[in-house]
Amino acid sequence: MTVTRMAAAAAHFGRDLDYDLGRIGKLIADARAAGAGLLVLPDAAIGGYLADLRHPDPAALPPALKPEDPIFEQVAAMAGAMVVCVGYCEADGDLRYNAAVSLCGDGVLGRHRKVHLPAAESTVYAPGDGFATFDTPVGRVGMLIDYDKTFPESARTLALDGAQIVACLSAWPASITNRAPKLAQDRQSRLFDLYDCARAAENQIVVVSSNQTGAVGGLRFLGQAKVVGPAGNVLARTWAKAGLAVAELDVTAEIATARRVLSHLDELRPATYRTAR
């Protein structure tokens, strides 16, 4: 029996890299104090997210970092034995990607570039081209970046690749077209929670979902970080507040229990499905 504590962060990040590193260090320290072996930080925790999803200003984009930028060595040193997943804007020649990296004190464990780009993001970022899992000290992990989790195929691909834990890193705002008076009533708030629970339940895996908080430009971020078990049950959550959602579970045992009678991945019938229009 291997019990793991995992933490999902809800926090605000912006363009000031020194500020972001300080906030990351504080969250790592808080997660370590809580006994966490895994910490999932939000999308764009290094450098902040876009300030406008309708017409992004080319002069106000997040700093684009190369994968070997020294800042990642700093985060890895702070992580130590903990597995930390963190989002940033990645530079690759003339292209930018909305990206995430998973690392610990030993170095990089895995990477992901956001595949599914909403309309405005596609004017700034290039899309990634796949989903892959990787081994970590807390189990086999895969990563998604916010809009990726809207598509069931994303998490399903990771589950079929052996993912026990899917880290969902988000900078997910409230609706910009139909704003509700309270975040809890917002359409995007409901969808954010729905996708987290559905992706966990349909694949019978653990989902650790982080998100940004606060406001940037015209965007209000939802928070709502959470850890979801393989039955789709929320084990810990922050609601709209900043902080850590921390849950402890035996991942292998919980997944085995969820799949004991109905094992969704074993009962798939791929020959009967359409995957594209």
Side-chain angles (χ1 to χ4, degrees), residues 41 55 92 152 251:
L41 295 163
H55 305 289
D92 186 355
V251 174

Side-chain angles (χ1 to χ4, degrees), residues 7 10 29 43 66 68 111 125 133 135 143 158 234 256 268 275:
D43 174 26
K66 292 186 178 297
E68 64 274 14
R111 295 185 180 276
Y125 297 118
T133 61
D135 290 320
M143 294 189 290
L158 293 174
V234 177
L268 290 171
T275 57

Side-chain angles (χ1 to χ4, degrees), residues 116 131-133 144 148-163 166 198-205 207 259 263-270 273 275:
H116 299 98
F131 302 93
T133 61
L144 303 176
D148 282 338
K149 72 179 177 184
T150 301
F151 299 86
E153 296 84 358
S154 305
R156 175 56 50 83
T157 299
L158 293 174
L160 289 171
D161 196 33
V166 169
R199 300 297 87 90
E202 66 199 6
N203 294 295
Q204 299 170 305
I205 55 175
V207 168
R259 297 176 180 177
S263 180
H264 300 167
L265 299 185
D266 292 333
E267 292 154 6
L268 290 171
R269 300 188 64 193
Y273 309 142
T275 57

